[in-house]
Amino acid sequence: MTRTYGFPVPNWTPPPTPTGETLQGRYARLEKLDGAAQAGDLFRSNAVTDEIWDYLPYGPFAAIEDYRAWLDTMSDSADPFFYAIKNLETGAFEGIASYLRIDPNGGAIEVGHINFSKPLQRTRAATETMFLMMKWAFDAGYRRYEWKCDALNRGSRAAAQRLGLSYEGIFRQATVYKDRNRDTAWFAAIDKEWPALENAFQSWLAPSNFDDSGRQLQSLSSLTALVRVASDPQLES
């Protein structure tokens, strides 16, 4: 019988864990989560709608004191490791996102706990946030960048695909949160796909890709479609 093995990964060196360095873009700046400095902006931005909490295992928070206490706890966490997102157009912190399930030895890292307030959604700052987080991970040496979400969260599945992450399937009855079942949809990009994905993001984020009204001339999904190795079948239906 022929014995087969995975391809060699010579001289593998585990990448560093996130350090909290500021991730600076043209439209967004990501700063390490700090409840004392960011709670006011974030709470006001989140108050626009409670829907942003539907697929998260916590929230909504009725009082800023409760939200600040939660932010303080998350600020001290190494995994998940949280960033607050400043929309440079408005000058306000309008969302958070984290790295989690950080596995330097295996070279895998996940992005999650993504909570974009209504004002941040569908903005260039929101897309650039995801680009900056992906860029840091691959530049640091991670081989695999993961995105997981409730399989019923069609918006999150569409976002993952738009960003160029390939669909990898459904883990049935993966967990329970808020007293309900969650089947988990898996997406990922790997290091060999990153150069093409980085080019796609840079092309989309370029000022020349937007008209005077801020409308995109070329969609990100059309650029990343050339890189994805598998599409989400639910989004085709």
Side-chain angles (χ1 to χ4, degrees):
M1 177 182 293
T2 301
R3 299 168 69 185
T4 57
Y5 305 93
F7 63 82
V9 185
N11 304 315
W12 166 247
T13 301
T17 56
T19 61
E21 63 194 80
T22 296
L23 306 181
Q24 179 71 48
R26 181 182 285 114
Y27 309 108
R29 183 168 69 244
L30 278 63
E31 300 179 10
K32 186 179 183 301
L33 189 64
D34 179 350
Q38 300 152 357
D41 273 1
L42 291 170
F43 189 78
R44 284 188 293 272
S45 298
N46 292 343
V48 175
T49 176
D50 281 348
E51 292 179 4
I52 58 174
W53 304 97
D54 286 353
Y55 293 106
L56 290 168
Y58 41 77
F61 297 91
I64 190 171
E65 294 81 9
D66 296 334
Y67 186 51
R68 164 72 187 275
W70 182 83
L71 290 176
D72 287 342
T73 299
M74 294 299 102
S75 297
D76 295 331
S77 173
D79 188 349
F81 185 93
F82 276 88
Y83 273 105
I85 303 150
K86 176 171 279 191
N87 183 341
L88 296 180
E89 183 176 358
T90 64
F93 289 99
E94 296 179 346
I96 60 174
S98 79
Y99 295 115
L100 69 156
R101 302 184 187 276
I102 303 163
D103 177 17
N105 288 331
I109 192 168
E110 181 179 341
V111 61
H113 294 281
I114 300 167
N115 193 0
F116 289 176
S117 69
K118 200 72 171 178
L120 182 62
Q121 293 173 20
R122 299 182 179 277
T123 65
R124 280 176 271 189
T127 297
E128 188 174 52
T129 291
M130 295 291 95
F131 165 64
L132 292 171
M133 293 188 72
M134 200 182 302
K135 178 175 173 57
W136 181 89
F138 284 120
D139 285 355
Y142 284 88
R143 305 172 63 235
R144 175 177 168 83
Y145 188 82
E146 299 179 335
W147 176 299
K148 306 185 186 86
C149 62
D150 190 313
L152 296 176
N153 189 349
R154 190 179 179 92
S156 185
R157 292 172 71 161
Q161 181 159 292
R162 173 179 176 266
L163 295 170
L165 284 76
S166 295
Y167 176 73
E168 295 187 334
I170 301 291
F171 278 36
R172 299 174 299 160
Q173 296 187 189
T175 190
V176 174
Y177 73 112
K178 291 182 175 176
D179 295 325
R180 62 193 188 221
N181 174 68
R182 175 174 133 164
D183 295 350
T184 297
W186 283 54
F187 298 81
I190 58 176
D191 52 1
K192 70 178 183 180
E193 297 161 352
W194 173 240
L197 286 176
E198 184 174 23
N199 286 337
F201 278 107
Q202 289 174 338
S203 295
W204 188 84
L205 288 165
S208 59
N209 188 44
F210 298 88
D211 65 18
D212 293 340
S213 300
R215 291 188 295 264
Q216 66 180 4
L217 304 179
Q218 189 170 24
S219 70
L220 181 61
S221 59
S222 68
L223 296 167
T224 59
L226 303 174
V227 185
R228 293 193 309 270
V229 298
S231 297
D232 186 341
Q234 186 185 86
L235 303 179
E236 307 298 321
S237 59

